[in-house]
Amino acid sequence: MKLYPAIDLKDGKCVRLLQGNYNEVTVYGNNPGEMAKKWESLGGDLLHIVDLDGAKAGKEVNGKAIRQIVEAIQIPIELGGGIRSIEDIRLQLSRGVHRVILGSAAIKNRTLVKEAIETFGADRIVVGVDAKDGMVAIEGWLEVTDTSALVFCKELEKIGVQTIIYTDIAKDGMMQGPNIEETRKLVENTHLNIVASGGVSSLEDLKALEKIGVYGAIIGKAIYTGAIDLEEAAKLFK
């Protein structure tokens, strides 16, 4: 199982939100490049970045910080937030980002996902599936749809998607553990690489995710608060 330390960007700083709430912000650092180097040095397999301002604005906002991170580290980077078009994807890949994450854009525009995979390859396109009680949520988690995460993931698999980031929004930032049952459904009923996100708060949580066969786990708040020692985790899951 691969470990993906996370950096969320807001106003050029490294932050965490509580359950995606932009009014519940904790700032953890003012230098994204240095933070990226830290997580790389402690054994992160891939760096997970979200441009929070970009997600809200529907276009890139934290370009300067993203460039800092790309220049600072050697491990692959995946980036989400405000990526809405083939041009947006091309820009980030040309900048040195390894793969991009399509979120709300993927729900509303399956054609974009298909075109992106055909243009750049399935290894460069990841779809972020956010859900609450197993139902897909969009628009920065403000709207819960009537589509189940499993049904949506099966549709994505049909059009060539290989990797999904599954976030349970009720768990995100709460340090209460991931939603093992809903995540297990995706692992067992699709052939996708499932990357679990949201609620990972201990080595036990990581072990539980590894046990159900997830491809990777995104670790956010837990490595910033010290609840998980990334170096220790990296040794366990290598």
Side-chain angles (χ1 to χ4, degrees):
M1 183 175 73
K2 297 185 182 302
L3 302 180
Y4 300 176
I7 292 181
D8 285 358
L9 297 171
K10 188 173 189 302
D11 303 322
K13 298 170 183 171
C14 303
V15 307
R16 303 304 298 169
L17 302 184
L18 189 66
Q19 289 188 305
N21 186 341
Y22 283 73
N23 297 316
E24 297 275 357
V25 182
T26 306
V27 176
Y28 285 104
N30 296 323
N31 190 323
E34 286 303 309
M35 190 69 80
K37 279 185 190 171
K38 177 182 177 180
W39 300 138
E40 178 184 47
S41 72
L42 293 177
D45 294 301
L46 177 149
L47 192 69
H48 173 83
I49 308 173
V50 178
D51 180 347
L52 292 172
D53 300 306
K56 210 170 186 182
K59 61 182 182 181
E60 178 184 90
V61 176
N62 285 286
K64 184 181 174 188
I66 294 162
R67 285 191 294 274
Q68 278 179 2
I69 292 170
V70 170
E71 288 165 11
I73 61 174
Q74 302 299 313
I75 59 170
I77 292 163
E78 67 181 15
L79 172 70
I83 298 169
R84 299 282 192 270
S85 68
I86 292 295
E87 290 69 35
D88 292 344
I89 297 168
R90 185 172 281 113
L91 169 68
Q92 299 302 344
L93 296 181
S94 68
R95 179 180 279 167
V97 169
H98 177 67
R99 65 190 194 190
V100 299
I101 305 160
L102 298 176
S104 294
I107 310 265
K108 295 182 170 179
N109 189 351
R110 313 288 162 86
T111 310
L112 173 64
V113 181
K114 200 164 186 293
E115 188 185 345
I117 288 169
E118 287 167 358
T119 306
F120 304 107
D123 59 326
R124 295 302 186 96
I125 307 297
V126 178
V127 177
V129 176
D130 301 332
K132 187 173 186 182
D133 302 322
M135 306 306 283
V136 174
I138 57 172
E139 295 305 327
W141 303 352
L142 299 174
E143 182 187 335
V144 178
T145 70
D146 56 3
T147 302
S148 83
L150 180 56
V151 166
F152 182 47
C153 285
K154 285 184 170 180
E155 286 177 20
L156 293 171
E157 189 173 9
K158 278 180 189 163
I159 60 174
V161 173
Q162 289 179 353
T163 305
I164 294 289
I165 294 170
Y166 179 67
T167 304
D168 185 296
I169 63 178
K171 300 284 189 178
D172 191 69
M174 298 301 288
M175 301 288 286
Q176 293 172 353
N179 190 328
I180 296 293
E181 281 313 305
E182 291 298 333
T183 308
R184 187 205 308 268
K185 282 182 195 173
L186 302 184
V187 173
E188 291 180 351
N189 294 289
T190 72
H191 297 97
L192 296 160
N193 295 327
I194 305 295
V195 177
S197 170
V200 175
S201 59
S202 65
L203 290 176
E204 283 61 43
D205 288 341
L206 290 172
K207 287 172 186 171
L209 287 170
E210 185 183 48
K211 196 172 178 182
I212 63 168
V214 301
Y215 181 79
I218 292 170
I219 318 171
K221 189 174 181 180
I223 53 174
Y224 289 89
T225 60
I228 290 177
D229 180 323
L230 183 59
E231 194 170 22
E232 183 186 355
K235 286 172 185 165
L236 268 179
F237 296 100
K238 278 289 184 279

